[in-house]
Amino acid sequence: MGQMTIYHHLSPEERAFLMLERHRGSSLRQIALQLDRSPATLSRGIRRNSSSVGYCAAEAGKAYRTRRKRCVKPRKIISNQALRAVV
């Protein structure tokens, strides 16, 4: 059995740092060392959130929140009046 890797999403501060450093021309490996992150994590973030103009931290955060909302299961008690009355 392989070891399971735990993935932690980039914080808004890390996204901003990534954006600034990429504009300065820093490599992903250099940025990863400064953030104590895997270069693959940064590469994944750039690949998911880049547009034709490049990587934007604000747009990346917005896209992350949109994707995150799709993952969250709706609560049954909120949408079911009968269940809420019983509880």
Side-chain angles (χ1 to χ4, degrees):
M1 223 180 192
Q3 184 178 3
M4 186 179 215
T5 304
I6 298 175
Y7 174 71
H8 297 281
H9 296 277
L10 295 173
S11 70
E13 294 81 13
E14 289 171 322
R15 286 188 201 102
F17 185 79
L18 174 60
M19 181 181 73
L20 292 173
E21 288 300 313
R22 289 300 287 174
H23 285 306
R24 287 186 184 141
S26 300
S27 73
L28 284 180
R29 290 194 181 277
Q30 291 170 330
I31 300 167
L33 282 172
Q34 292 175 314
L35 291 176
D36 194 27
R37 291 297 204 131
S38 165
T41 298
L42 302 182
S43 175
R44 186 183 307 114
I46 290 172
R47 188 175 59 246
R48 282 182 180 163
N49 301 305
S50 288
S51 66
S52 59
V53 283
Y55 181 82
C56 173
E59 292 300 317
K62 198 182 304 181
Y64 163 72
R65 288 187 297 278
T66 301
R67 283 191 305 271
R68 186 74 181 128
K69 282 180 185 175
R70 288 190 306 229
C71 295
V72 178
K73 220 171 140 179
R75 296 181 180 162
K76 291 180 182 179
I77 198 162
I78 291 174
S79 61
N80 189 330
Q81 294 289 337
L83 178 61
R84 190 177 332 168
V86 170
V87 173

